[in-house]
Structure formats: structure tokens, C-alpha cells
Amino acid sequence: MPEGNRMKTLSIKVDYLTRVEGEGALNVKIKEGAVENVQLKVFEPPRLFEAFMRGRHAFEAPDLTARICGICPVAYQMSAVHAVEDALGLKVDGPIRNLRRLIYCGEWIESHALSVYMLHAPDFLGYPGALEMAGKYPEVVNRGLQLKKTGNEIVALLGGREIHPINVRVGGFYRTPARHDLAKIGERLKWAREAALETVRWVSAFEFPDCERDYEFVALSHPGEYPLNEGRIVSNKGLNTEASVSTATLQRNT
């Protein structure tokens, strides 16, 4: 481009990006024909559910919080039900605790399948979206859809429906599934396990950019199991704190 026609400064601002979990924004600054600065933001806007919860009975919390997100309702629901049980001094153990871990696993299966196959893979493989990707990789896209369906079936079985489950309550569940229903989904999970391993083999061949950021990674930690609902909150920068809210803490803050 001739020097006289070259644009001195160009700013490109995209306020909302699709195909991300949450909200996305992009700012690009081009000066003298060269990219000077790029900012990609992926963030979660406030849901304002705190105001909805005021004045409501504690036992309503699991149902209300499950409406915060259609992709990960169990995460919010379990956080709410565990907080209420902890405040009341209730300890849920045994088969009920195992079923709660199972419904959480169901959400992880459907959510991760959505993220890997529908949100991220098209970017790595150079497609506008999963529909376009399906033209060349129909079996791959179908595997992702079936994996997501398996997770949805677990959530529906234990939660009463696939989106915004309604069966979780303080102390357990309103209704527990029959053994034969669990046996049916067990057969489905045998296929899903192999499909998940194949997914790992597939994505391991993606070309990942050589980029490192100074993030603080925060997660639950448990000494005896993979943590889903219980454990301490830890980070790679030294955070280590109790996740529960004791009755004494509530009394001090009221």
C-alpha cells in the first residue's frame, strides 16, 4: 500500500463475541499498517440473582440458583444446597452423596462436550462453526453430540429435566431413580467412556499457540477424591481456605 494511502490509526472494537461461555469482546489497534495492540476479553456479567434470593426461604435456594445458567445449572444448584446444609449442620453421605456426584458428572460431560466440539474445535480447524465443520467431520461432530446427550440423560434422570434441574433439595433429592434406570444409563456410559478417550486422542493433535499468561488458577482440593462438591479452595499462588460456611460464621455476620 502506498505510504500516502496508508491509514495512520485504525481501531476495531467488537463488544460481543459469540461461541464463548460467558461474554466476549475484542479490541484491535492498528497503527501505520501494523497491529499495535490486541485485547481479547472473556468475562461473566453479573446475573443479579442475589436480589432474587432476598426474603426467600432457604429451601428455595437450589431451585432458584439452578436458573442462573442453562449449561452449568448443577454447579450453582449444588453450591446453594451445600451452603444451606452446612449452615443447618446437615451432613449428606452414602448413596445420596454418590448420586449428587453423578449428576454433577453428567453436567461436566454435557458441558465439556459442548465446549470442545461446538465452541473450540471449529476455531482450531478453521471453520465458522460446528455446522460447517460437520461437512468434513460428520462422525466427529456426531460423537460430540452423542457425548453431550449422554450427559444430558444423567442430569435428566437425577435432576428431573436436562436444563435447570428441579429434583435436588436440601437433604437429598425429591425422588431417587430406580435401579433399572441407573442400569440403562450405565450401558450408555460404557460407550461414552470410549468416546471420551477418543476425544482426548483427537484434540491432542490440535496445534496450540505458544502463549503463556500469568493466571491464578483456583479450584477445589480434596485429599481423598476428585473434588466436585466438597474440599478446600486452593490456587497456584498460595490460596488455601475452607469452602464451607459454618453456623458460627453466620451468627457472627447477622
Side-chain angles (χ1 to χ4, degrees):
M1 182 184 297
E3 186 67 33
N5 295 332
R6 181 175 293 174
M7 211 176 278
K8 287 187 176 181
T9 303
L10 173 65
S11 295
I12 302 173
K13 183 179 180 181
V14 182
D15 290 326
Y16 300 101
L17 296 175
T18 60
R19 223 169 67 224
V20 297
E21 289 199 39
E23 302 292 343
L26 177 67
N27 294 324
V28 181
K29 185 177 181 180
I30 303 173
K31 188 174 182 180
E32 300 294 340
V35 176
E36 187 178 75
N37 186 37
V38 177
Q39 292 182 341
L40 174 64
K41 303 176 183 179
V42 178
F43 53 91
E44 287 283 352
R47 307 298 177 90
L48 306 178
F49 263 70
E50 294 85 353
F52 298 161
M53 302 291 289
R54 292 172 184 162
R56 307 301 291 262
H57 196 283
F59 285 12
E60 295 179 277
D63 280 341
L64 288 171
T65 54
R67 270 70 171 178
I68 294 177
C69 180
I71 298 174
C72 52
V74 176
Y76 294 101
Q77 188 174 59
M78 283 299 165
S79 296
V81 77
H82 273 255
V84 174
E85 288 169 353
D86 189 60
L88 296 176
L90 297 178
K91 181 66 175 178
V92 175
D93 213 337
I96 298 299
R97 183 178 186 271
N98 293 336
L99 289 175
R100 283 187 173 179
R101 289 178 62 83
L102 180 60
I103 190 175
Y104 217 144
C105 287
E107 177 179 273
W108 277 29
I109 292 171
E110 62 88 9
S111 178
H112 284 55
L114 173 69
S115 295
V116 171
Y117 284 89
M118 308 303 161
L119 301 183
H120 301 313
D123 287 335
F124 280 99
L125 300 177
Y127 292 94
L131 291 178
E132 293 83 359
M133 189 176 74
K136 185 175 181 180
Y137 301 99
E139 293 182 1
V140 169
V141 173
N142 183 63
R143 182 176 66 218
L145 291 172
Q146 292 302 315
L147 265 173
K148 187 179 188 312
K149 182 179 179 181
T150 301
N152 285 343
E153 288 175 353
I154 296 174
V155 176
L157 177 63
L158 292 166
R161 59 188 184 191
E162 297 173 357
I163 301 175
H164 307 321
I166 54 175
N167 192 37
V168 175
R169 58 167 294 176
V170 174
F173 293 88
Y174 288 104
R175 177 183 177 274
T176 54
R179 285 183 176 271
H180 65 270
D181 291 327
L182 289 170
K184 289 179 183 177
I185 208 163
E187 291 301 314
R188 175 81 172 170
L189 285 172
K190 292 178 182 178
W191 171 86
R193 179 177 56 190
E194 296 305 314
L197 292 172
E198 184 58 36
T199 300
V200 173
R201 288 189 285 267
W202 176 55
V203 300
S204 66
F206 288 178
E207 293 185 9
F208 289 83
D210 186 15
C211 178
E212 293 185 7
R213 298 294 302 275
D214 186 22
Y215 290 115
E216 182 173 11
F217 295 97
V218 182
L220 280 178
S221 176
H222 193 284
E225 63 185 19
Y226 192 92
L228 293 175
N229 290 323
E230 300 173 11
R232 295 183 65 82
I233 301 175
V234 300
S235 80
N236 63 320
K237 293 191 175 182
L239 176 67
N240 191 326
T241 185
E242 181 64 44
S244 64
V245 181
S246 67
T247 304
T249 300
L250 289 175
Q251 291 174 347
R252 286 197 302 269
N253 295 331
T254 56

